[in-house]
Amino acid sequence: MLVMVSMVMLGAMPQGQARHKDVQVEKILYIPHDNRPISDKQTAEVAEKLGYEVIVPPDELLGNREDLGHPGALWDWLTVHSADAKAAVISSDSLLYGSLVGSRKHEYSKEEVLERAAKFKQFRKENPKLPVYVFGSIMRTPRNGEASGHEEPAYYRNYGADIFRYTVLEDKEEVEGLSRREQKEKAFLTELIPRKDLQDWLGRREKNFAANKELINLSRKKVFDYLALGRDDNAPYSRTHLESRHLAEAGKDLDKTRFQAMAGIDETGILLLTRAINNLKKEVPFVYTKYNWGRGEFTVPAYSDEKISASIASAITAAGGMPVTSPERADLVLMVNTNPNGKTYEANDRSNDGDDREGTKYFADLVSEYVDKGYPVGIADIAYANGSDNALMEELKKRSLLFKLKAYAGWNTPTNSTGFAIGEGMLTQKMKRADVDALLLTRYLDDWAYQANVRNTIARQLSWLRGDGVYGSLDAKKEAVSQRTQTMLRRFIDSNLPHLTTLEDIEVYFPWNRMFEADIRHSEHKEIHFFK
């Protein structure tokens, strides 16, 4: 059930109507933290399906892996387009550093970064009634150079594993102390890692930490209606975990409806976009969560430092919802596909071959039961990271459940998937069935077809293709990989999805010149409105 609440309780102001092309619509400004499809247009598309006009900066202003973004131009864009907006969802990383990757590689001084943070005060003065929802990142700590994906400074490729281990010991020393052996190991790493590289990495983090503390202070002064600081890829012991602990302490006087430090980052855009819409509609959706058997809610998934149940609770709050203990009362029944042993594997693991595993049929039976009872079911598929669980998807296909769901997500990290499923699942409640199915199709093409299957097959075939290029930098092989991906996706679609005329013409692009993410378009693909 949806709870109607006063605008005052949710920190929103009464709004009027905006006019666009002679149709009464409400305009929401959305500045993502980069131009990846999942961060950018796939997130905006969910709100657009509800009839909102989501205004996004053009690609040339948003950052990517090579172009770190343009914070000055983004501030100008925000100022120009804020006049008749009903809400603004803003990545602080974009406005402070240019982008998420920019936060990791920029060369701005601490003074420059804090000056940009201070601009939020002037923006609030100029837009006193505009609800402003801000999300930023607590810098990640990749486990090694390969895990960094070339999105850290060049030295991380050589010393990433050593830097990660150094921060594990640093964090552990503060929490519980180190053994003599660990103290010696930390001293050894201090000598091993080039001092200038470690100082550069820690110095950029210090700027990020100072900026995040200032954002918390601005939230305290009600410059923002809500602030979320997401822990980018991290681990139970890491520099990210250490900084998050201190930032949570800095904002402990703020209620969770105003500020949260939470696991994950890429899903935060849709969570805050959902919060903005819930506030505009004066609604608080109820969410009931059901886990697979075994470790379930106590699973600490890959790329996170906390139980998945804690991450889900934070995501529900961030999206403006409320957890409930009964599915009968829920506006969204979130079903979480975890492995019974509590471990998270990678989607390219050999075990992800589509054969039933422990817990697969049990979880599929649960989904069938809840769908048959008429509950609005969304699935967060986190048994594997970076792609769907093929065994689960086979069960959903055999039981004709794929297009009876309200939401599905199985991409990137487990917290990315749970957060996206929560945001999308809340918003689909008022959508036409055809629009819900279109959003599900986007996820099935991306998370299931491409991420868990086609990508892994083509990655093994890269050496067959002419020209220079590797998984992380396709370069001369980019067009050939695109063509091969399109062919394989068509085959996958023919075998696994209903026959849809909209899927007869598939095009695949690699906007970041790597295979990790793809922009999959078909004839029903709807471009987001970009405003210069």
Side-chain angles (χ1 to χ4, degrees):
M1 99 185 23
L2 288 169
V3 174
M4 306 297 290
V5 297
S6 71
M7 299 294 278
V8 175
M9 286 177 62
L10 291 177
M13 302 292 180
Q15 302 296 325
Q17 293 290 323
R19 182 173 294 276
H20 177 65
K21 296 181 181 178
D22 299 322
V23 177
Q24 294 285 331
V25 296
E26 290 182 309
K27 184 173 86 173
I28 299 176
L29 300 184
Y30 174 51
I31 300 181
H33 54 214
D34 55 42
N35 64 6
R36 284 172 297 164
I38 190 67
S39 309
D40 187 357
K41 64 184 180 183
Q42 289 181 9
T43 290
E45 183 184 20
V46 180
E48 287 210 329
K49 293 289 188 188
L50 273 177
Y52 291 91
E53 184 188 6
V54 182
I55 311 300
V56 184
D59 263 14
E60 57 263 31
L61 294 189
L62 297 172
N64 55 48
R65 197 163 54 142
E66 303 300 330
D67 179 354
L68 301 185
H70 308 274
L74 285 171
W75 272 111
D76 293 340
W77 182 93
L78 179 63
T79 301
V80 168
H81 291 283
S82 61
D84 59 344
K86 301 305 173 190
V89 177
I90 301 169
S91 161
S92 61
D93 288 340
S94 288
L95 292 184
L96 299 184
Y97 319 104
S99 64
L100 180 62
V101 175
S103 73
R104 307 164 185 163
K105 299 175 76 171
H106 71 87
E107 297 295 339
Y108 299 121
S109 68
K110 181 178 179 179
E111 289 71 27
E112 286 178 288
V113 173
L114 292 178
E115 282 175 9
R116 289 182 187 139
K119 287 186 175 183
F120 278 113
K121 289 186 286 187
Q122 182 61 32
F123 181 74
R124 169 52 78 198
K125 287 181 181 178
E126 294 170 354
N127 301 274
K129 295 185 178 182
L130 178 68
V132 178
Y133 309 92
V134 174
F135 63 102
S137 70
I138 302 170
M139 287 177 66
R140 69 178 186 168
T141 312
R143 290 183 175 271
N144 49 51
E146 182 181 2
S148 72
H150 300 278
E151 294 171 23
E152 301 287 333
Y155 54 75
Y156 210 89
R157 300 172 201 173
N158 296 321
Y159 293 98
D162 300 315
I163 292 173
F164 174 79
R165 181 59 183 168
Y166 174 84
T167 73
V168 167
L169 297 171
E170 181 186 44
D171 189 15
K172 187 178 181 183
E173 184 174 33
E174 187 175 288
V175 173
E176 60 181 80
L178 300 178
S179 66
R180 289 186 63 184
R181 179 181 177 183
E182 289 170 330
Q183 289 173 356
K184 290 181 179 179
E185 183 184 5
K186 185 183 176 187
F188 171 75
L189 290 170
T190 303
E191 295 297 322
L192 175 67
I193 303 167
R195 182 169 300 182
K196 63 180 179 60
D197 294 340
L198 186 59
Q199 288 177 342
D200 176 79
W201 195 74
L202 292 176
R204 199 171 288 104
R205 299 194 71 99
E206 195 278 328
K207 298 172 191 176
N208 177 258
F209 183 82
N212 283 337
K213 283 191 71 173
E214 179 57 22
L215 294 178
I216 293 171
N217 189 44
L218 293 175
S219 189
R220 183 177 290 112
K221 294 177 179 178
K222 300 186 178 180
V223 172
F224 310 137
D225 291 79
Y226 179 80
L227 171 66
L229 294 178
R231 296 192 289 281
D232 205 353
D233 299 353
N234 73 110
Y237 281 120
S238 65
R239 182 71 181 206
T240 308
H241 179 255
L242 182 153
E243 291 168 355
S244 178
R245 196 169 60 250
H246 286 282
L247 289 168
E249 177 68 18
K252 67 179 181 180
D253 58 309
L254 295 173
D255 187 84
K256 287 186 177 181
T257 59
R258 295 202 65 86
F259 162 68
Q260 284 192 113
M262 53 194 291
I265 183 62
D266 285 343
E267 74 277 19
T268 321
I270 195 169
L271 289 173
L272 267 61
L273 197 57
T274 302
R275 184 182 189 87
I277 292 171
N278 283 331
N279 284 3
L280 287 170
K281 296 168 75 69
K282 297 184 285 186
E283 295 175 348
V284 177
F286 286 174
V287 181
Y288 172 76
T289 306
K290 181 70 175 178
Y291 298 87
N292 201 354
W293 76 275
R295 291 289 297 168
E297 64 183 296
F298 300 104
T299 297
V300 178
Y303 308 101
S304 183
D305 61 358
E306 66 181 12
K307 296 182 298 182
I308 192 61
S309 55
S311 299
I312 288 172
S314 295
I316 292 171
T317 299
M322 182 180 298
V324 292
T325 57
S326 168
E328 291 81 9
R329 301 178 61 208
D331 301 294
L332 171 64
V333 172
L334 179 71
M335 306 195 70
V336 187
N337 179 37
T338 51
N339 287 307
N341 63 7
K343 295 183 179 180
T344 307
Y345 303 102
E346 291 294 322
N348 61 359
D349 191 271
R350 289 184 178 180
S351 65
N352 195 20
D353 58 6
D355 291 340
D356 284 338
R357 301 186 328 282
E358 189 177 27
T360 301
K361 288 187 176 178
Y362 173 84
F363 187 77
D365 287 342
L366 279 178
V367 175
S368 295
E369 177 187 344
Y370 280 41
V371 168
D372 288 345
K373 288 181 178 180
Y375 297 146
V377 173
I379 293 179
D381 189 0
I382 64 170
Y384 293 92
N386 300 308
S388 299
D389 178 350
N390 280 315
L392 171 63
M393 302 310 288
E394 285 294 323
E395 286 293 328
L396 297 180
K397 180 181 71 173
K398 286 191 297 186
R399 300 171 190 228
S400 300
L401 290 169
L402 290 172
F403 291 96
K404 293 181 181 178
L405 304 175
K406 289 292 187 178
Y408 171 87
W411 58 277
N412 218 345
T413 72
T415 55
N416 292 161
S417 291
T418 52
F420 202 93
I422 288 167
E424 184 169 280
M426 286 185 184
L427 295 182
T428 55
Q429 299 312 304
K430 298 291 180 69
M431 284 184 197
K432 298 175 183 178
R433 186 66 235 186
D435 289 331
V436 177
D437 289 345
L439 294 174
L440 287 169
L441 183 60
T442 295
R443 300 267 53 84
Y444 295 152
L445 290 175
D446 199 331
D447 310 355
W448 183 22
Y450 179 72
Q451 303 288 350
N453 291 282
V454 173
R455 176 178 63 171
N456 301 323
T457 300
I458 295 180
R460 293 191 293 269
Q461 299 175 354
L462 276 177
S463 61
W464 304 355
L465 304 178
R466 293 181 180 177
D468 294 329
V470 294
Y471 181 92
S473 294
L474 291 172
D475 300 333
K477 296 183 178 182
K478 190 174 180 180
E479 181 59 29
V481 171
S482 177
Q483 293 298 321
R484 188 172 288 257
T485 300
Q486 288 166 192
T487 299
M488 293 191 68
L489 279 175
R490 289 192 190 100
R491 293 174 185 167
F492 185 95
I493 290 165
D494 290 343
S495 301
N496 295 282
L497 294 171
H499 176 71
L500 299 170
T501 56
T502 58
L503 293 179
E504 292 175 357
D505 185 21
I506 291 283
E507 294 181 326
V508 180
Y509 303 90
F510 297 98
W512 278 29
N513 190 37
R514 65 182 187 181
M515 288 193 66
F516 186 74
E517 62 274 297
D519 183 4
I520 304 169
R521 301 181 187 179
H522 52 91
S523 57
E524 199 178 67
H525 177 79
K526 186 178 181 181
E527 291 290 345
I528 303 304
H529 297 296
F530 294 92
F531 284 72
K532 296 188 178 182

